[in-house]
Amino acid sequence: MLTTINTGPLAASVRHLLDFAWNQTRSCAFAIALLSGVAASTLLPGLPVARYDLLVAYGVLLTLLFWLRGWENGRDIAVIALCHVIGLAFELVKVSLGSWSYPEPAVLKFAGVPLYGGFLYAAVGSYVCRAWHLFDLELVRYRPRATAVVAAAVYVNFFSHHWLPDARWLLAGLLLAVTAGTSVRYTVRGVRRRMPLALSFVLIGFFLWVAENLATYLGAWRYPYQLDGWEPVGVDKIGAWSLLISVTFVLAAVTRPSRRREADGTHGPTPGGS
């Protein structure tokens, strides 16, 4: 006797979830490839050049490959390059203050920071840009100026809290305020759905924390408490990444074609939207 395959709402939801997960994985292609390179470099004894230097060349080749294959366009490369530069500036300050370190030697290393360190932030930029394409992202009731101002303050606070009071909780509240009512429309299996922008920041922050644990385990960099042996990264970093992702998002949003819906909500309902 033939078994009837369930094609009801539950099965459809599972298919949508699997497609969502698959496109998220595709969006992480650069990050996955970069971390795979970091992992592979730990298994190659007797390298003719320093591991950190080899990873710089690997990061450049990855960027060229993604561009030549058409997986990232000129606007994406500009965002990724800017993320690289901003990330290196972030690293220079944080490493100088002892927040973390890159203990291995390298030629392409300045003030304790190897140039490949910027590719770790470039990978986040690549994720946001590829997700924008693969999910056909569209911002609803987005406040670009206010969000950019808060994101810039978030970036500055990651430096200034070493000398001034830490304002991250205040900034978290401000970020929630400026993104209140803002959502991201995305497509999965031809159906438009939406997610609150603030929720997307938290979800991305969680997965960046997971990636950070993997990266430090592979020796991409080390926190002081990991120098004598790897330990998991504290869960408080989820909040830090949830805030910091706003900087990358603002940079990517500036380069996207204007598809923002009007704040008056006069557009009709979107199938599958919440």
Side-chain angles (χ1 to χ4, degrees):
M1 181 171 58
L2 294 177
T3 302
T4 302
I5 298 176
N6 182 9
T7 58
L10 178 60
S13 296
V14 170
R15 288 195 296 270
H16 277 272
L17 181 61
L18 291 175
D19 272 17
F20 179 82
W22 171 237
N23 278 339
Q24 286 287 356
T25 303
R26 292 173 63 197
S27 299
C28 294
F30 189 100
I32 292 172
L34 184 65
L35 284 178
S36 297
V38 174
S41 68
T42 65
L43 304 175
L44 299 174
L47 290 172
V49 295
R51 183 167 75 110
Y52 290 164
D53 293 336
L54 185 64
L55 288 171
V56 174
Y58 179 64
V60 172
L61 289 175
L62 275 181
T63 303
L64 289 174
L65 173 64
F66 275 59
W67 178 54
L68 292 174
R69 294 288 296 177
W71 297 332
E72 287 164 351
N73 59 34
R75 287 194 304 267
D76 299 333
I77 296 298
V79 171
I80 292 165
L82 190 53
C83 287
H84 190 118
V85 172
I86 290 175
L88 279 178
F90 189 81
E91 291 289 307
L92 286 169
V93 175
K94 285 295 192 177
V95 168
S96 70
L97 293 170
S99 297
W100 54 80
S101 65
Y102 294 86
E104 298 179 30
V107 174
L108 300 176
K109 192 175 186 180
F110 177 74
V113 179
L115 293 184
Y116 106 87
F119 281 108
L120 301 170
Y121 297 86
V124 179
S126 173
Y127 162 77
V128 173
C129 290
R130 282 182 58 77
W132 219 296
H133 295 303
L134 293 173
F135 288 99
D136 189 23
L137 298 188
E138 178 186 4
L139 300 178
V140 181
R141 297 176 180 173
Y142 176 59
R143 306 172 184 89
R145 292 183 181 85
T147 307
V149 168
V150 175
V154 165
Y155 182 75
V156 171
N157 184 71
F158 275 98
F159 302 139
S160 64
H161 81 86
H162 290 281
W163 305 283
L164 300 173
D166 190 350
R168 73 181 63 193
W169 286 108
L170 172 62
L171 291 169
L174 288 174
L175 191 59
L176 285 173
V178 298
T179 58
T182 303
S183 59
V184 181
R185 290 191 187 273
Y186 61 96
T187 301
V188 178
R189 296 182 67 89
V191 177
R192 293 295 276 175
R193 298 182 179 275
R194 74 163 68 186
M195 177 184 295
L197 181 59
L199 176 59
S200 72
F201 287 169
V202 173
L203 292 175
I204 294 171
F206 169 76
F207 285 104
L208 285 173
W209 170 73
V210 172
E212 185 178 29
N213 273 282
L214 178 58
T216 54
Y217 180 78
L218 295 172
W221 71 90
R222 296 286 189 188
Y223 287 102
Y225 56 84
Q226 295 175 324
L227 292 176
D228 295 326
W230 183 80
E231 295 180 26
V233 178
V235 294
D236 59 302
K237 292 292 184 180
I238 298 175
W241 281 115
S242 299
L243 288 173
L244 199 55
I245 190 61
S246 65
V247 178
T248 305
F249 183 86
V250 165
L251 293 175
V254 168
T255 66
R256 299 303 109 181
S258 181
R259 291 188 54 196
R260 304 184 190 99
R261 291 181 180 268
E262 297 298 330
D264 60 11
T266 55
H267 296 76
T270 301
S274 59

